[in-house]
Amino acid sequence: MLGNQAFARGAYEGGVEVAAGYPGTPSTEILEFLSEYREVHSRWCPNEKVAFEVAAGAAIGGKRALATMKHVGLNVASDALMTLAYTGVNAGFVCIVADDPGMHSSQNEQDSRNYAFFAKVPCLEPSSSAEALEFARLAFEISEEFDTPVLIRSTTRISHSRGVVIPGERKTIPVRPYAKCAPKYVMIPAYARSRRRELERRMERLRQWVEETPLNRMELRDPSIGVITGGVLYSYLREVAPSVSVLKLGVSHPLPLEKIRKFSQKVEKLLVLEELDPIWEREIKAAGITVTGREIFPGIGEITPDIIVEALFPEKKRDYVTFDERLLPRPPVLCAGCPHRGVFKVLKDLGATVCGDIGCYTLGTLPPLSAMDTCICMGASISVAEGIKRAHPELPVVAVIGDSTFVHNGIPPLIDAVYNKTPIVVLILDNGTTAMTGGQEHPATGKTLSGEETVRLDFLALGKAIGVPRVEKINAYHLERLKNALHEAFEAPHPTLLVAEGLCQLKKKIRNSPLAIEDMYCLLCGLCASIGCPAIEKGETIRIAFERCAGCRVCATLCPFGAIEEVNA
């Protein structure tokens, strides 16, 4: 079972009744698998904070609840996490957060265990698909026993690898009674001060519990080396160094310091093996226990089995294949026929200063389009564009943001641009889906996670409602119309909202006729290839690969000689 599928199964068996999240690799599939269980109300939300709060409300109301997100999403939800740690939860509340060591599909590396330490909540860390199921199921019981939110930290290799699991039966959990209790759930300062003390009493009980729970276990073998580890690194270690002694931490926070001290007395050399931040190492050293960690294990990127071998047994050389030597380098590109490609071509030709956002359209920063100036985080395109415009009023500044990202965090900065009369262009690339994570629905697609029809957020009506002086929808493939609209917007003394509409190629059910280049008219000027379409091959001649062409006609629009035409079937 895929790790994310096992998380979903574990939550299902644990009696979860409400689940909410926002898609983000590598966490996305948890909610998609969970939505297959009709006993669970599963939903996508506009962003992670909303998802976290919906689940928190369900738990306070008496139903077991789950929130899912990737590591950067927990930044968005952290405001709610910090206070939910004070209030407690009533019914079980679990948040599964998936970190991305190595940044396979993220804008940064973060270690979510820091949030467990910061918020003073327990954190579980499974090392296999089987534990993903088991820990997700147990986390609800831990949450209820200690009246606390529980974090489960996954990583890319846990979420996206497969392992053997044994599914069990779903627990039927009665809805807990809800009773109004303002001193517990209303965090005005007078009540929050009392809950702050309760938080420390809870932490003390948790510190006693982690010394006893079998989720933290000692595996004594060769006493010359003892390694404290957890998560996927435990599985790697068992594979490459099966003889070493291990203290496996299933609970990342709080640490069982007495158990660690006993383990240190049973081995000659104590190491701590953890990915990203030296969180355990700092705490263990602070407790006066001598341990080696960051001196031999790297703190940047993924730790692989080969890195563990090199660190533990530098005299050994593993017999492995480096795939980098077998694969031709292939830079990521926008899909053939992607509606974003022509938009970025226009922005580049106009010399616009482009503030980008999070999504597949971030690929517009790569050659030959090379259109993007900045990209920081979800929703930042608009607010960063405002700042650049204030610094350089003479620049034609455009904030480019996808439809799902705009719903996630783009609305408040657009209100700010209107409120402060900043003359920028906000260009929503509306491809009708959350494309980067595989095509999930959101409030502007008109469908829920289960496929049910619902109210569709209207971007133009929203823009008018919040006071944008000029709003306009444009077909993303009509490049001349887009160019004229941008020219007009650059001259305007107020913010402008443009919506470039074109369906994601992965969502299109009907394909257009492919195109071909008529050699007798082609003068090899290369304008058609300047958009970086993967269907256009440029060598001694230029040709369009029939099997890859989506028939979007952007290249034909660019050809000054009329050499590109539809292929007659």
Side-chain angles (χ1 to χ4, degrees), residues 156-225:
T156 304
R157 301 303 176 187
I158 293 294
S159 287
H160 286 169
S161 60
R162 291 181 181 274
V164 176
V165 303
I166 301 175
E169 297 295 322
R170 174 175 167 82
K171 278 189 174 181
T172 301
I173 308 295
V175 178
R176 288 191 165 201
Y178 169 73
K180 182 172 181 173
C181 183
K184 186 171 189 294
Y185 294 116
V186 182
M187 287 302 94
I188 58 175
Y191 295 156
R193 292 186 193 107
S194 170
R195 296 302 301 178
R196 175 74 179 86
R197 288 190 286 274
E198 174 56 31
L199 183 61
E200 290 304 324
R201 286 193 286 270
R202 179 197 299 153
M203 281 301 298
E204 191 54 41
R205 288 193 292 131
L206 281 164
R207 288 191 188 96
Q208 295 171 16
W209 171 75
V210 294
E211 301 288 351
E212 301 162 1
T213 176
L215 298 179
N216 299 322
R217 66 171 185 265
M218 230 185 275
E219 299 175 3
L220 296 175
R221 302 183 187 90
D222 181 354
S224 62
I225 297 179

Side-chain angles (χ1 to χ4, degrees), residues 66 87 112 146 151 161 196 242 268 306 358 393 469 478 480 502 516 518 547:
L66 175 74
T87 66
S112 294
F146 294 94
L151 291 184
S161 60
R196 175 74 179 86
E268 297 169 20
D306 297 317
I358 304 298
H478 290 180
E480 279 303 310
E518 184 62 60
E547 69 280 5

Side-chain angles (χ1 to χ4, degrees), residues 1 8 74 134 179 210 299 317 351-352 359 377 394 470 569:
M1 192 177 279
L74 190 55
E134 180 190 359
V210 294
K317 181 173 176 59
C377 62
E394 76 282 5
R470 180 186 163 211

Side-chain angles (χ1 to χ4, degrees), residues 220-262:
L220 296 175
R221 302 183 187 90
D222 181 354
S224 62
I225 297 179
V227 182
I228 302 168
T229 191
V232 73
L233 298 185
Y234 167 78
S235 299
Y236 291 172
L237 182 67
R238 295 291 291 121
E239 176 188 333
V240 302
S243 64
V244 303
S245 295
V246 180
L247 174 54
K248 180 188 181 300
L249 297 179
V251 184
S252 291
H253 180 265
L255 284 183
L257 289 173
E258 286 308 310
K259 186 172 281 187
I260 290 172
R261 198 180 303 280
K262 290 176 184 172

Side-chain angles (χ1 to χ4, degrees), residues 414 458-472 497:
L414 179 58
D458 184 329
F459 292 138
L460 296 188
L462 174 70
K464 291 175 184 174
I466 63 177
V468 181
R470 180 186 163 211
V471 298
E472 183 178 353
L497 175 63

Side-chain angles (χ1 to χ4, degrees), residues 38-94:
R38 292 304 172 188
E39 298 93 330
V40 184
H41 171 78
S42 302
R43 60 161 70 182
W44 291 128
C45 292
N47 63 41
E48 295 84 356
K49 182 172 184 288
V50 174
F52 191 99
E53 291 161 351
V54 167
I60 291 171
K63 288 190 173 183
R64 288 189 171 183
L66 175 74
T68 68
M69 57 200 66
K70 67 181 296 181
H71 61 290
V72 288
L74 190 55
N75 298 339
V76 182
S78 61
D79 202 13
L81 168 65
M82 294 299 165
T83 303
L84 193 68
Y86 276 48
T87 66
V89 294
N90 192 13
F93 174 93
V94 178

